Amino acid sequence: MATSPTAGELRHRVAFDRRTDADDGYGNEQASFAEQFQVHAAFRSRGGSEAVVAARLEGRNVLGVYVRSSAQTRQIESDWQMRDVRTGERYAVKIVDAVTDRRWVYLEVSTGVAA
């Protein structure tokens, strides 16, 4: 893992959403996301990639994200999604590392993939 971020790098306000199942009134389960909490985060680019989906080239942006370790942030799982509160951009959480550094939770998130 790279060096830990400084307090000045925690410029982004992000919200973490957990998948919930709700009844649509007709007996069907409908999946949606419900916001759990918001925190400040440091973004670090991990590069991008391209994938061919349905004969089209689709770009994906991969970010390394650091958030301060807390009881809330240690609950994040790889089936959650992260939202940038300012821009509304949604990211699928792929990797969660809350063990390596006790002060930080490291996440690897990406755009262009299903959460």
XYZ file of all heavy atoms in Angstrom:
902
model
N 0.848 -1.169 0.000
C 0.000 0.000 0.000
C 0.891 1.228 0.000
O 1.971 1.229 0.564
C -0.910 -0.038 1.221
C -2.007 0.950 1.157
S -3.415 0.694 2.266
C -2.743 0.107 3.739
N 0.454 2.294 -0.620
C 1.219 3.529 -0.717
C 1.238 4.250 0.625
O 0.648 3.795 1.606
C 0.602 4.414 -1.786
N 1.887 5.400 0.649
C 1.964 6.169 1.881
C 0.582 6.653 2.290
O -0.288 6.893 1.460
C 2.891 7.378 1.704
O 2.363 8.202 0.667
C 4.295 6.940 1.355
N 0.417 6.819 3.581
C -0.863 7.290 4.117
C -1.111 8.728 3.694
O -0.177 9.510 3.560
C -0.859 7.200 5.636
O -0.715 5.872 6.044
N -2.373 9.101 3.505
C -2.680 10.472 3.097
C -2.514 11.439 4.269
O -2.530 11.045 5.429
C -4.139 10.393 2.658
C -4.701 9.241 3.399
C -3.568 8.269 3.573
N -2.389 12.706 3.923
C -2.358 13.754 4.935
C -3.767 14.308 5.096
O -4.640 14.058 4.254
C -1.411 14.884 4.514
O -1.907 15.462 3.296
C -0.001 14.366 4.305
N -3.979 15.076 6.142
C -5.305 15.645 6.380
C -5.722 16.559 5.227
O -6.904 16.654 4.901
C -5.325 16.404 7.699
N -4.751 17.221 4.591
C -5.059 18.108 3.477
C -5.564 17.389 2.243
O -6.184 17.998 1.374
N -5.293 16.102 2.138
C -5.763 15.327 0.980
C -7.216 14.882 1.119
O -7.811 14.409 0.153
C -4.886 14.094 0.785
C -3.492 14.401 0.294
C -2.705 13.127 0.077
O -2.901 12.481 -0.963
O -1.905 12.776 0.963
N -7.801 15.000 2.287
C -9.185 14.564 2.505
C -10.149 15.641 1.997
O -10.918 16.231 2.735
C -9.427 14.280 3.991
C -8.573 13.174 4.588
C -8.773 13.104 6.091
C -8.894 11.844 3.946
N -10.108 15.898 0.697
C -10.875 16.976 0.076
C -12.256 16.562 -0.395
O -13.092 17.402 -0.664
C -10.117 17.504 -1.142
C -8.860 18.224 -0.847
C -8.326 18.822 -2.140
N -7.701 17.809 -2.967
C -6.405 17.540 -2.939
N -5.618 18.185 -2.139
N -5.911 16.625 -3.726
N -12.487 15.301 -0.561
C -13.734 14.827 -1.168
C -14.705 14.353 -0.094
O -14.327 13.628 0.823
C -13.450 13.678 -2.138
C -12.492 14.057 -3.214
N -12.892 14.670 -4.373
C -11.148 13.937 -3.306
C -11.841 14.901 -5.134
N -10.767 14.465 -4.503
N -15.952 14.745 -0.224
C -17.003 14.270 0.677
C -17.708 13.142 -0.065
O -18.227 13.341 -1.169
C -17.966 15.401 0.993
C -19.007 15.061 1.999
C -18.431 15.138 3.385
N -19.494 14.906 4.359
C -19.255 14.547 5.590
N -18.015 14.406 6.009
N -20.228 14.328 6.426
N -17.707 11.950 0.520
C -18.317 10.794 -0.133
C -19.359 10.165 0.775
O -19.284 10.268 1.998
C -17.256 9.733 -0.527
C -16.307 10.276 -1.570
C -16.493 9.243 0.678
N -20.337 9.542 0.155
C -21.378 8.811 0.873
C -21.254 7.344 0.495
O -20.923 7.008 -0.647
C -22.758 9.333 0.486
N -21.505 6.476 1.453
C -21.469 5.041 1.201
C -22.890 4.504 1.294
O -23.615 4.772 2.248
C -20.549 4.345 2.203
C -19.111 4.620 1.922
C -18.453 5.649 2.569
C -18.421 3.883 0.977
C -17.133 5.925 2.294
C -17.093 4.155 0.691
C -16.448 5.176 1.361
N -23.276 3.742 0.275
C -24.630 3.200 0.165
C -24.579 1.685 0.207
O -23.759 1.064 -0.466
C -25.270 3.626 -1.161
C -25.272 5.131 -1.344
O -25.329 5.847 -0.339
O -25.224 5.587 -2.500
N -25.480 1.106 0.996
C -25.605 -0.353 1.097
C -26.819 -0.797 0.294
O -27.849 -0.134 0.274
C -25.796 -0.757 2.556
C -25.947 -2.260 2.738
C -26.303 -2.640 4.145
N -25.334 -2.065 5.078
C -25.272 -2.382 6.350
N -26.124 -3.231 6.858
N -24.386 -1.832 7.139
N -26.678 -1.939 -0.354
C -27.786 -2.494 -1.130
C -28.882 -2.983 -0.187
O -28.612 -3.670 0.794
C -27.301 -3.652 -1.994
C -28.355 -4.206 -2.937
C -27.825 -5.346 -3.767
N -26.625 -4.998 -4.510
C -26.625 -4.447 -5.725
N -27.762 -4.176 -6.309
N -25.502 -4.183 -6.338
N -30.107 -2.591 -0.468
C -31.255 -3.033 0.315
C -32.307 -3.601 -0.623
O -32.408 -3.204 -1.785
C -31.879 -1.875 1.114
O -32.312 -0.859 0.207
C -30.890 -1.287 2.109
N -33.087 -4.527 -0.135
C -34.191 -5.095 -0.906
C -35.494 -4.538 -0.357
O -35.729 -4.543 0.846
C -34.207 -6.618 -0.813
C -33.015 -7.245 -1.511
O -32.569 -6.672 -2.513
O -32.546 -8.291 -1.049
N -36.331 -4.058 -1.251
C -37.615 -3.493 -0.855
C -38.716 -4.138 -1.680
O -38.526 -4.474 -2.843
C -37.613 -1.986 -1.062
N -39.852 -4.301 -1.075
C -41.013 -4.855 -1.762
C -41.625 -3.762 -2.627
O -41.845 -2.640 -2.162
C -42.027 -5.357 -0.741
C -43.184 -6.097 -1.373
O -43.142 -6.352 -2.594
O -44.135 -6.423 -0.645
N -41.907 -4.068 -3.894
C -42.472 -3.063 -4.791
C -43.997 -2.986 -4.717
O -44.620 -2.267 -5.477
C -42.021 -3.308 -6.224
C -42.588 -4.586 -6.818
O -43.254 -5.349 -6.095
O -42.350 -4.818 -8.018
N -44.614 -3.707 -3.800
C -46.064 -3.669 -3.658
C -46.779 -4.748 -4.439
O -47.974 -4.960 -4.272
N -46.059 -5.451 -5.305
C -46.632 -6.521 -6.107
C -46.012 -7.864 -5.765
O -46.134 -8.814 -6.533
C -46.444 -6.225 -7.605
C -47.163 -4.984 -8.053
C -46.474 -3.792 -8.224
C -48.538 -4.997 -8.277
C -47.126 -2.643 -8.618
C -49.191 -3.850 -8.675
C -48.492 -2.681 -8.841
O -49.149 -1.544 -9.237
N -45.315 -7.939 -4.648
C -44.698 -9.186 -4.225
C -43.306 -9.422 -4.776
O -42.738 -10.489 -4.592
N -42.758 -8.443 -5.474
C -41.417 -8.571 -6.042
C -40.412 -7.824 -5.172
O -40.702 -6.764 -4.647
C -41.364 -7.985 -7.459
C -42.340 -8.669 -8.381
O -42.442 -9.880 -8.385
N -43.065 -7.879 -9.159
N -39.242 -8.384 -5.074
C -38.151 -7.707 -4.371
C -37.421 -6.817 -5.355
O -37.036 -7.255 -6.430
C -37.177 -8.735 -3.768
C -37.767 -9.565 -2.661
C -38.076 -8.754 -1.417
O -37.262 -7.890 -1.052
O -39.128 -8.986 -0.815
N -37.234 -5.573 -4.991
C -36.553 -4.623 -5.848
C -35.331 -4.104 -5.103
O -35.444 -3.559 -4.013
C -37.489 -3.478 -6.194
C -36.916 -2.502 -7.162
C -37.957 -1.493 -7.606
O -39.129 -1.592 -7.265
N -37.531 -0.524 -8.368
N -34.152 -4.276 -5.702
C -32.906 -3.846 -5.064
C -32.679 -2.364 -5.301
O -32.895 -1.852 -6.391
C -31.738 -4.652 -5.599
N -32.249 -1.687 -4.248
C -31.868 -0.281 -4.351
C -30.758 -0.032 -3.339
O -30.393 -0.918 -2.577
C -33.068 0.626 -4.091
O -33.543 0.420 -2.776
N -30.232 1.168 -3.326
C -29.174 1.508 -2.389
C -29.678 2.521 -1.380
O -30.394 3.455 -1.744
C -27.958 2.082 -3.134
C -27.158 1.042 -3.852
C -27.369 0.780 -5.193
C -26.200 0.310 -3.187
C -26.631 -0.176 -5.858
C -25.456 -0.656 -3.840
C -25.672 -0.900 -5.175
N -29.300 2.342 -0.126
C -29.670 3.268 0.939
C -28.388 3.828 1.553
O -27.477 3.074 1.891
C -30.492 2.562 2.004
N -28.349 5.148 1.703
C -27.157 5.784 2.263
C -26.971 5.385 3.722
O -27.914 5.415 4.513
C -27.268 7.302 2.153
C -26.046 8.029 2.670
C -26.123 9.521 2.474
O -26.486 9.966 1.373
O -25.811 10.240 3.440
N -25.735 5.041 4.075
C -25.402 4.649 5.435
C -24.721 5.779 6.202
O -25.043 6.026 7.354
C -24.489 3.417 5.429
C -25.098 2.217 4.734
C -26.396 1.769 5.386
O -26.430 1.490 6.575
N -27.466 1.713 4.605
N -23.767 6.461 5.567
C -23.055 7.557 6.215
C -22.236 8.328 5.188
O -22.092 7.880 4.048
C -22.137 7.045 7.336
C -21.157 6.001 6.890
C -19.913 6.350 6.392
C -21.471 4.647 6.971
C -19.011 5.392 5.975
C -20.578 3.680 6.561
C -19.339 4.057 6.065
N -21.723 9.497 5.596
C -20.855 10.314 4.761
C -19.560 10.592 5.518
O -19.580 10.785 6.731
C -21.514 11.655 4.419
C -22.701 11.538 3.512
C -23.249 12.904 3.106
O -22.649 13.937 3.375
N -24.392 12.895 2.444
N -18.448 10.615 4.786
C -17.140 10.909 5.366
C -16.303 11.670 4.336
O -16.658 11.738 3.168
C -16.377 9.620 5.784
C -17.058 8.921 6.939
C -16.207 8.682 4.617
N -15.180 12.227 4.795
C -14.223 12.841 3.892
C -13.244 11.778 3.419
O -12.904 10.865 4.171
C -13.476 13.981 4.586
C -14.305 15.206 4.724
N -15.085 15.451 5.834
C -14.499 16.241 3.885
C -15.710 16.590 5.671
N -15.382 17.098 4.494
N -12.783 11.912 2.171
C -11.916 10.894 1.583
C -10.818 11.535 0.744
O -10.961 12.648 0.257
C -12.741 9.953 0.708
N -9.737 10.784 0.595
C -8.633 11.169 -0.285
C -8.662 10.233 -1.488
O -8.700 9.016 -1.324
C -7.306 11.050 0.457
N -8.674 10.807 -2.697
C -8.678 10.022 -3.924
C -7.262 9.965 -4.477
O -6.570 10.973 -4.521
C -9.564 10.660 -4.993
C -11.044 10.551 -4.741
C -11.554 9.989 -3.595
C -11.933 11.026 -5.678
C -12.925 9.897 -3.384
C -13.293 10.945 -5.491
C -13.788 10.375 -4.332
N -6.867 8.798 -4.941
C -5.596 8.624 -5.653
C -5.872 7.778 -6.884
O -6.412 6.680 -6.778
C -4.568 7.946 -4.763
C -4.156 8.836 -3.603
C -2.980 8.302 -2.896
N -2.600 9.196 -1.816
C -1.802 8.842 -0.840
N -1.279 7.638 -0.804
N -1.501 9.703 0.107
N -5.490 8.300 -8.023
C -5.754 7.602 -9.280
C -4.939 6.320 -9.359
O -3.760 6.290 -9.024
C -5.411 8.502 -10.461
O -5.659 7.805 -11.666
N -5.567 5.256 -9.810
C -4.902 3.977 -10.032
C -4.885 3.644 -11.514
O -4.694 2.508 -11.907
C -5.616 2.851 -9.267
C -5.563 2.990 -7.780
C -4.153 2.687 -7.307
N -4.067 2.879 -5.880
C -3.285 3.770 -5.297
N -2.531 4.562 -6.016
N -3.250 3.892 -4.003
N -5.131 4.647 -12.346
C -5.140 4.420 -13.784
C -6.528 4.042 -14.256
O -7.493 4.080 -13.522
N -6.610 3.671 -15.480
C -7.883 3.297 -16.056
C -7.725 2.072 -16.913
O -6.630 1.540 -17.088
N -8.813 1.619 -17.434
C -8.774 0.471 -18.324
C -9.921 0.610 -19.316
O -10.796 1.447 -19.155
C -8.901 -0.839 -17.537
O -10.169 -0.916 -16.917
N -9.880 -0.228 -20.305
C -10.952 -0.251 -21.287
C -11.430 -1.676 -21.440
O -10.643 -2.614 -21.372
C -10.462 0.291 -22.632
C -10.089 1.756 -22.584
C -9.545 2.246 -23.902
O -9.070 1.428 -24.708
O -9.599 3.460 -24.124
N -12.714 -1.820 -21.627
C -13.294 -3.139 -21.812
C -14.233 -3.095 -23.010
O -14.863 -2.078 -23.268
C -14.059 -3.563 -20.573
N -14.314 -4.185 -23.726
C -15.241 -4.282 -24.844
C -16.528 -4.896 -24.319
O -16.551 -6.023 -23.838
C -14.657 -5.134 -25.987
C -15.672 -5.274 -27.103
C -13.377 -4.517 -26.497
N -17.591 -4.102 -24.362
C -18.893 -4.547 -23.893
C -19.885 -4.307 -25.022
O -20.048 -3.178 -25.482
C -19.330 -3.781 -22.621
C -20.717 -4.211 -22.183
C -18.321 -3.981 -21.508
N -20.539 -5.368 -25.460
C -21.518 -5.290 -26.546
C -20.923 -4.596 -27.767
O -21.531 -3.709 -28.364
C -22.787 -4.587 -26.080
N -19.714 -5.003 -28.137
C -18.999 -4.507 -29.314
C -18.673 -3.017 -29.229
O -18.462 -2.367 -30.239
C -19.789 -4.801 -30.583
N -18.655 -2.474 -28.021
C -18.271 -1.080 -27.822
C -17.121 -1.020 -26.832
O -17.069 -1.790 -25.885
C -19.427 -0.263 -27.256
C -20.576 -0.109 -28.185
C -21.590 0.809 -27.576
N -22.799 0.760 -28.347
C -23.971 1.147 -27.903
N -24.096 1.593 -26.682
N -25.014 1.093 -28.674
N -16.259 -0.061 -27.036
C -15.154 0.148 -26.112
C -15.655 1.026 -24.970
O -16.202 2.103 -25.196
C -13.995 0.821 -26.828
C -12.635 0.729 -26.178
C -12.247 -0.731 -25.946
C -11.594 1.391 -27.048
N -15.502 0.551 -23.747
C -16.023 1.253 -22.587
C -14.883 1.558 -21.624
O -14.122 0.668 -21.258
C -17.059 0.349 -21.907
C -17.791 0.985 -20.778
C -18.853 0.041 -20.253
O -19.950 0.015 -20.806
O -18.559 -0.664 -19.278
N -14.748 2.809 -21.224
C -13.674 3.207 -20.316
C -14.061 2.998 -18.869
O -15.215 3.156 -18.486
N -13.053 2.644 -18.071
C -13.258 2.462 -16.634
C -12.169 3.211 -15.898
O -11.000 3.129 -16.255
C -13.204 0.981 -16.268
C -14.335 0.219 -16.891
C -14.339 -1.207 -16.482
N -15.489 -1.868 -17.079
C -15.614 -3.146 -17.213
N -14.662 -3.942 -16.796
N -16.695 -3.655 -17.754
N -12.556 3.927 -14.874
C -11.609 4.672 -14.066
C -11.478 3.968 -12.720
O -12.474 3.695 -12.064
C -12.100 6.105 -13.878
C -11.080 6.984 -13.224
O -9.902 6.640 -13.172
N -11.516 8.117 -12.720
N -10.253 3.678 -12.314
C -10.006 2.991 -11.052
C -9.334 3.978 -10.099
O -8.357 4.629 -10.457
C -9.106 1.755 -11.254
C -8.840 1.069 -9.926
C -9.754 0.793 -12.237
N -9.881 4.088 -8.886
C -9.345 4.992 -7.878
C -8.985 4.223 -6.615
O -9.681 3.284 -6.236
C -10.376 6.055 -7.491
C -10.783 7.077 -8.521
C -11.914 7.932 -7.974
C -9.614 7.948 -8.894
N -7.933 4.663 -5.960
C -7.624 4.224 -4.610
C -8.170 5.291 -3.682
O -7.912 6.481 -3.878
N -8.951 4.919 -2.705
C -9.602 5.881 -1.818
C -9.216 5.559 -0.380
O -9.277 4.396 0.040
C -11.143 5.824 -1.977
C -11.829 6.779 -1.022
C -11.544 6.114 -3.408
N -8.829 6.596 0.355
C -8.525 6.453 1.774
C -9.569 7.199 2.588
O -9.874 8.358 2.289
C -7.145 7.039 2.099
C -5.994 6.233 1.586
C -5.480 6.438 0.319
C -5.412 5.262 2.382
C -4.412 5.709 -0.150
C -4.343 4.516 1.924
C -3.842 4.749 0.660
O -2.788 4.013 0.209
N -10.121 6.552 3.605
C -11.005 7.194 4.572
C -10.475 6.857 5.960
O -9.842 5.822 6.155
C -12.483 6.749 4.425
C -13.059 7.203 3.095
C -12.637 5.254 4.568
N -10.737 7.744 6.905
C -10.280 7.481 8.269
C -10.994 6.261 8.827
O -12.180 6.062 8.609
C -10.543 8.678 9.167
C -9.673 9.857 8.853
C -9.841 10.932 9.916
N -9.228 12.173 9.517
C -7.947 12.466 9.690
N -7.144 11.594 10.263
N -7.471 13.626 9.301
N -10.265 5.451 9.569
C -10.842 4.247 10.157
C -11.755 4.627 11.318
O -11.394 5.416 12.187
C -9.727 3.323 10.653
O -10.276 2.153 11.187
N -12.952 4.081 11.314
C -13.929 4.292 12.385
C -14.845 3.078 12.421
O -14.758 2.191 11.563
C -14.743 5.563 12.148
O -15.604 5.399 11.040
N -15.723 3.041 13.381
C -16.675 1.929 13.457
C -17.536 1.875 12.196
O -17.869 0.793 11.712
C -17.556 2.066 14.690
N -17.871 3.026 11.628
C -18.683 3.060 10.413
C -17.899 2.585 9.202
O -18.362 1.738 8.451
C -19.191 4.478 10.151
C -20.236 4.948 11.110
C -20.672 6.368 10.797
O -19.865 7.194 10.377
N -21.935 6.651 11.009
N -16.714 3.136 8.998
C -15.966 2.812 7.775
C -15.460 1.380 7.764
O -15.243 0.818 6.697
C -14.798 3.784 7.570
O -13.933 3.747 8.704
C -15.300 5.204 7.351
N -15.287 0.766 8.920
C -14.870 -0.642 8.947
C -16.012 -1.585 8.571
O -15.787 -2.770 8.360
C -14.300 -0.999 10.319
C -12.903 -0.411 10.551
C -12.254 -0.960 11.795
N -13.013 -0.700 13.001
C -12.903 0.393 13.764
N -12.051 1.339 13.414
N -13.632 0.542 14.845
N -17.228 -1.080 8.440
C -18.377 -1.894 8.018
C -18.489 -2.004 6.499
O -19.243 -2.832 5.994
C -19.679 -1.285 8.534
C -19.840 -1.296 10.019
C -21.121 -0.579 10.428
O -21.948 -0.224 9.589
N -21.279 -0.376 11.709
N -17.773 -1.176 5.756
C -17.892 -1.148 4.292
C -17.515 -2.503 3.720
O -16.537 -3.118 4.124
C -16.986 -0.055 3.698
C -17.384 1.307 4.239
C -17.057 -0.069 2.170
C -16.400 2.405 3.909
N -18.326 -2.971 2.777
C -18.081 -4.258 2.116
C -18.000 -4.053 0.609
O -18.366 -3.000 0.095
C -19.186 -5.242 2.476
C -19.216 -5.575 3.959
C -20.299 -6.572 4.310
O -20.931 -7.132 3.386
O -20.519 -6.783 5.506
N -17.565 -5.080 -0.084
C -17.341 -4.959 -1.524
C -18.626 -4.936 -2.355
O -18.558 -4.740 -3.562
C -16.438 -6.087 -2.017
O -17.031 -7.327 -1.747
N -19.781 -5.098 -1.751
C -21.026 -4.986 -2.522
C -21.696 -3.621 -2.308
O -22.807 -3.404 -2.771
C -21.992 -6.121 -2.181
C -22.431 -6.123 -0.729
O -21.759 -5.484 0.105
O -23.452 -6.772 -0.427
N -21.034 -2.709 -1.637
C -21.542 -1.358 -1.440
C -21.152 -0.488 -2.630
O -20.354 -0.873 -3.473
C -20.959 -0.747 -0.173
C -21.483 -1.310 1.110
C -21.970 -2.567 1.320
C -21.539 -0.648 2.363
N -22.319 -2.730 2.626
C -22.071 -1.558 3.301
C -21.183 0.609 2.807
C -22.271 -1.238 4.629
C -21.379 0.939 4.132
C -21.920 0.019 5.028
N -21.731 0.713 -2.665
C -21.304 1.693 -3.646
C -20.912 2.971 -2.917
O -21.367 3.243 -1.816
C -22.373 1.965 -4.695
C -23.493 2.876 -4.259
C -24.440 3.194 -5.397
O -24.311 2.685 -6.507
N -25.403 4.043 -5.130
N -20.037 3.731 -3.558
C -19.591 5.006 -3.009
C -20.038 6.103 -3.963
O -19.980 5.938 -5.178
C -18.062 5.006 -2.890
C -17.492 6.255 -2.273
S -15.690 6.248 -2.256
C -15.367 6.838 -3.913
N -20.511 7.217 -3.413
C -20.933 8.361 -4.217
C -20.126 9.581 -3.817
O -19.935 9.845 -2.628
C -22.404 8.705 -3.964
C -23.396 7.926 -4.705
C -24.815 8.402 -4.443
N -25.200 8.254 -3.043
C -25.435 9.265 -2.215
N -25.332 10.506 -2.614
N -25.784 9.031 -0.963
N -19.678 10.343 -4.806
C -19.082 11.647 -4.535
C -20.250 12.598 -4.316
O -21.073 12.798 -5.206
C -18.223 12.091 -5.718
C -17.426 13.344 -5.440
O -17.898 14.195 -4.655
O -16.330 13.477 -5.994
N -20.359 13.166 -3.120
C -21.515 13.995 -2.775
C -21.587 15.240 -3.649
O -22.669 15.657 -4.054
C -21.473 14.375 -1.269
C -22.562 15.350 -0.911
C -21.577 13.114 -0.415
N -20.449 15.826 -3.984
C -20.429 17.062 -4.766
C -20.824 16.826 -6.219
O -21.642 17.547 -6.779
C -19.042 17.700 -4.697
C -18.943 19.040 -5.392
C -17.564 19.652 -5.242
N -16.501 18.759 -5.661
C -16.049 18.655 -6.904
N -16.590 19.357 -7.870
N -15.069 17.824 -7.196
N -20.251 15.804 -6.855
C -20.493 15.590 -8.288
C -21.611 14.588 -8.574
O -22.140 14.555 -9.676
C -19.219 15.081 -8.986
O -18.881 13.801 -8.449
C -18.072 16.054 -8.801
N -21.935 13.726 -7.622
C -22.944 12.701 -7.839
C -22.410 11.454 -8.526
O -23.156 10.513 -8.778
N -21.109 11.432 -8.839
C -20.489 10.264 -9.488
C -20.600 9.044 -8.572
O -20.373 9.128 -7.377
C -19.016 10.571 -9.780
C -18.296 9.458 -10.480
C -18.463 9.507 -11.982
O -18.643 10.603 -12.527
O -18.415 8.426 -12.597
N -20.956 7.900 -9.157
C -21.099 6.657 -8.395
C -19.958 5.710 -8.728
O -19.563 5.592 -9.881
C -22.424 5.983 -8.718
C -23.608 6.807 -8.290
C -24.923 6.131 -8.647
N -26.032 7.008 -8.348
C -26.609 7.092 -7.162
N -26.169 6.349 -6.175
N -27.619 7.909 -6.973
N -19.448 5.038 -7.696
C -18.325 4.116 -7.838
C -18.698 2.780 -7.206
O -19.299 2.746 -6.138
C -17.082 4.650 -7.115
C -16.611 5.990 -7.608
C -17.080 7.164 -7.040
C -15.681 6.083 -8.630
C -16.632 8.398 -7.478
C -15.228 7.318 -9.080
C -15.714 8.471 -8.491
O -15.277 9.682 -8.939
N -18.314 1.709 -7.847
C -18.498 0.371 -7.280
C -17.286 0.062 -6.409
O -16.146 0.194 -6.848
C -18.616 -0.662 -8.392
N -17.531 -0.338 -5.170
C -16.446 -0.706 -4.262
C -15.999 -2.113 -4.620
O -16.797 -3.048 -4.624
C -16.902 -0.634 -2.787
C -15.799 -1.116 -1.865
C -17.337 0.781 -2.431
N -14.724 -2.273 -4.934
C -14.194 -3.575 -5.347
C -13.341 -4.220 -4.267
O -13.415 -5.416 -4.045
C -13.380 -3.437 -6.642
C -14.221 -3.011 -7.809
C -15.292 -4.029 -8.071
C -16.230 -3.610 -9.161
N -17.392 -4.462 -9.243
N -12.472 -3.452 -3.616
C -11.566 -3.989 -2.606
C -11.659 -3.123 -1.361
O -11.666 -1.896 -1.449
C -10.111 -4.001 -3.116
C -9.985 -4.911 -4.332
C -9.141 -4.432 -2.021
C -8.644 -4.845 -5.013
N -11.726 -3.755 -0.191
C -11.748 -3.056 1.089
C -10.628 -3.616 1.946
O -10.570 -4.822 2.177
C -13.103 -3.237 1.817
C -13.098 -2.476 3.130
C -14.261 -2.815 0.940
N -9.733 -2.747 2.418
C -8.647 -3.159 3.309
C -8.716 -2.318 4.575
O -8.268 -1.172 4.595
C -7.291 -2.994 2.634
C -6.132 -3.413 3.524
O -6.386 -3.950 4.616
O -4.980 -3.208 3.119
N -9.280 -2.886 5.629
C -9.387 -2.190 6.910
C -8.414 -2.769 7.925
O -8.466 -2.427 9.095
C -10.813 -2.300 7.438
N -7.502 -3.630 7.495
C -6.631 -4.346 8.413
C -5.190 -3.848 8.363
O -4.537 -3.726 9.393
C -6.670 -5.862 8.103
C -5.766 -6.638 9.012
C -8.093 -6.375 8.206
N -4.663 -3.556 7.185
C -3.249 -3.235 7.020
C -2.818 -2.028 7.847
O -1.779 -2.050 8.483
C -2.931 -2.999 5.539
O -3.319 -4.157 4.804
C -1.455 -2.754 5.328
N -3.598 -0.958 7.827
C -3.276 0.249 8.584
C -4.450 0.550 9.513
O -5.574 0.725 9.054
C -3.035 1.414 7.620
C -2.501 2.663 8.293
O -2.542 2.738 9.537
O -2.041 3.561 7.579
N -4.197 0.619 10.803
C -5.285 0.829 11.768
C -5.924 2.202 11.651
O -7.053 2.396 12.066
C -4.769 0.662 13.195
C -4.357 -0.726 13.524
C -3.892 -0.864 14.933
N -3.534 0.417 15.520
C -3.265 0.595 16.795
N -3.305 -0.400 17.615
N -2.946 1.790 17.246
N -5.198 3.181 11.102
C -5.723 4.548 11.030
C -6.572 4.801 9.794
O -7.375 5.727 9.773
C -4.573 5.555 11.052
C -3.781 5.511 12.341
C -2.562 6.394 12.247
N -1.718 5.884 11.175
C -0.834 6.604 10.512
N -0.665 7.867 10.797
N -0.093 6.069 9.561
N -6.404 4.002 8.746
C -7.067 4.248 7.466
C -7.745 2.987 6.951
O -7.273 1.892 7.152
C -6.063 4.717 6.418
C -5.357 5.968 6.812
C -4.118 6.068 7.373
C -5.851 7.293 6.705
N -3.823 7.377 7.613
C -4.867 8.155 7.208
C -7.046 7.840 6.229
C -5.033 9.537 7.259
C -7.194 9.210 6.263
C -6.209 10.044 6.774
N -8.828 3.180 6.241
C -9.464 2.112 5.468
C -9.184 2.442 4.009
O -9.490 3.542 3.540
C -10.982 2.034 5.733
C -11.630 1.011 4.816
C -11.263 1.705 7.187
N -8.564 1.509 3.311
C -8.230 1.688 1.905
C -9.275 0.969 1.063
O -9.613 -0.190 1.322
C -6.839 1.127 1.598
C -6.521 1.116 0.127
C -6.157 2.283 -0.517
C -6.602 -0.058 -0.615
C -5.873 2.295 -1.865
C -6.322 -0.055 -1.962
C -5.948 1.117 -2.588
O -5.689 1.109 -3.929
N -9.787 1.665 0.048
C -10.772 1.100 -0.855
C -10.266 1.225 -2.282
O -9.627 2.223 -2.621
C -12.101 1.861 -0.762
C -12.676 2.073 0.625
C -13.752 3.143 0.583
C -13.248 0.788 1.140
N -10.574 0.245 -3.086
C -10.348 0.381 -4.514
C -11.714 0.401 -5.150
O -12.500 -0.523 -4.978
C -9.508 -0.755 -5.057
C -8.982 -0.463 -6.427
C -7.882 -1.413 -6.836
O -6.775 -1.310 -6.276
O -8.158 -2.263 -7.700
N -12.021 1.500 -5.859
C -13.334 1.686 -6.457
C -13.161 1.930 -7.945
O -12.100 2.338 -8.398
C -14.082 2.862 -5.794
C -14.293 2.621 -4.317
C -13.371 4.179 -6.008
N -14.229 1.689 -8.706
C -14.143 1.935 -10.146
C -15.480 2.395 -10.694
O -16.544 2.096 -10.143
C -13.681 0.681 -10.877
O -14.581 -0.365 -10.670
N -15.394 3.152 -11.774
C -16.590 3.584 -12.500
C -16.774 2.661 -13.690
O -15.871 1.945 -14.083
C -16.434 5.032 -13.014
O -15.300 5.079 -13.884
C -16.259 6.015 -11.881
N -17.946 2.679 -14.272
C -18.187 1.908 -15.481
C -18.478 0.445 -15.246
O -18.501 -0.327 -16.200
N -18.654 0.030 -14.001
C -19.000 -1.356 -13.688
C -20.210 -1.355 -12.755
O -20.480 -0.372 -12.072
C -17.820 -2.131 -13.043
C -16.674 -2.259 -14.006
C -17.376 -1.463 -11.775
N -20.894 -2.460 -12.719
C -22.063 -2.573 -11.860
C -21.653 -2.674 -10.404
O -20.679 -3.335 -10.066
C -22.895 -3.789 -12.240
N -22.396 -1.988 -9.559
C -22.115 -2.031 -8.115
C -22.815 -3.198 -7.479
O -23.787 -3.695 -7.940
C -22.546 -0.744 -7.455
